Amino acid sequence: MSQPIGNLSDLQDLLENGVSYMYGDNTFAVYSVLLYTRTEGLNRRLHEYVWKHFDQFRKQTGPNWLVAIVEIPGRTPEEEPKFKPESVYEIARYLGAGADDIPAIIFFTDPKERKETLILQLRDIFPSGEPKDDDLEQFFAKVATMIDNMCKTDRTNGEMLSVLRKQIEEKFGEDPQWAKGLESAMGWVKTSAVAATSVFGAIAALVKLL
């Protein structure tokens, strides 16, 4: 399932109240924030893909994986006065990533209790910087399938990120469609942690700061 957010307060609300408010009592095995800017290259392609295929993307990510998107598809920056593209970099830093990791997906579990994050750099997955819509669709479907399959086994929240990292390394590293671009890549998937006691705490601190 994917949820657009217009600013950092929206992300805070999503992690604090939005899941139960929007989806009933459902919780998600894996949460993430998809971080990109609206500039050029791969950042631009991710923005275009999400805008063009958001309904499909929202369903594709499935019931076990919540993806927060730091923009509202269909609205320009002028129509989103609260949205600041530079917030993408602040979110990355507060979630344990660097500005040079973007574009990226930052995964986490149980945001109110856990501080660990998993960072997947997308420029190494798509080295050309200009993936086609089919390539992006296959990528997101592959990650969603990994998470769905993980949920069929008895995994605790503390295990999910380490298992997901192993799955990503194996499935993408061994698949000819993706492996060539990853042969010389370093640190394209890595673990990190927030400086606060939890992911939610890190986002709440950032909202207060800004």
Side-chain angles (χ1 to χ4, degrees):
M1 185 67 66
S2 302
Q3 179 64 29
I5 53 177
N7 59 19
L8 290 170
S9 294
D10 289 349
L11 178 57
Q12 181 184 15
D13 289 344
L14 175 64
L15 298 183
E16 184 174 24
N17 302 310
V19 172
S20 58
Y21 176 78
M22 291 182 294
Y23 306 116
D25 294 329
N26 292 335
T27 57
F28 295 84
V30 176
Y31 298 74
S32 69
V33 182
L34 175 59
L35 296 177
Y36 55 86
T37 63
R38 295 171 173 174
T39 52
E40 56 187 31
L42 181 55
N43 281 286
R44 177 180 53 79
R45 285 296 299 122
L46 288 164
H47 162 67
E48 291 171 347
Y49 178 80
V50 169
W51 272 41
K52 184 178 179 181
H53 303 289
F54 181 70
D55 288 341
Q56 173 184 322
F57 177 70
R58 190 172 189 175
K59 295 175 182 177
Q60 184 183 41
T61 47
N64 298 307
W65 178 24
L66 180 65
V67 184
I69 303 167
V70 191
E71 67 172 325
I72 299 179
R75 294 187 186 178
T76 65
E78 292 75 20
E79 293 172 325
E80 290 184 74
K82 296 186 296 181
F83 176 74
K84 297 179 180 180
E86 60 268 25
S87 296
V88 167
Y89 297 103
E90 292 296 333
I91 293 172
R93 293 186 181 99
Y94 269 71
L95 292 182
D100 59 350
D101 289 320
I102 293 173
I105 304 176
I106 303 181
F107 300 92
F108 47 93
T109 61
D110 198 358
K112 290 186 178 181
E113 301 294 333
R114 305 196 66 84
K115 61 188 297 181
E116 303 85 4
T117 61
L118 180 67
I119 302 161
L120 176 58
Q121 297 177 345
L122 298 180
R123 66 174 176 271
D124 291 320
I125 298 287
F126 302 105
S128 72
E130 294 287 339
K132 298 178 180 178
D133 284 359
D134 286 348
D135 297 327
L136 290 165
E137 180 181 353
Q138 290 177 36
F139 165 75
F140 288 114
K142 198 173 187 71
V143 176
T145 299
M146 291 179 200
I147 293 172
D148 288 343
N149 288 338
M150 286 167 50
C151 291
K152 296 176 183 178
T153 62
D154 188 16
R155 304 287 186 187
T156 66
N157 283 336
E159 298 174 308
M160 291 296 279
L161 290 187
S162 61
V163 174
L164 180 57
R165 177 178 181 173
K166 183 178 180 181
Q167 287 286 305
I168 289 173
E169 289 174 334
E170 290 179 354
K171 300 297 184 183
F172 286 102
E174 297 174 0
D175 188 327
Q177 180 179 355
W178 314 96
K180 186 175 180 180
L182 297 172
E183 287 177 349
S184 59
M186 297 290 291
W188 59 279
V189 56
K190 57 187 178 181
T191 55
S192 189
V194 301
T197 57
S198 67
V199 169
F200 174 76
I203 295 298
L206 178 56
V207 170
K208 291 180 180 179
L209 179 65
L210 298 179

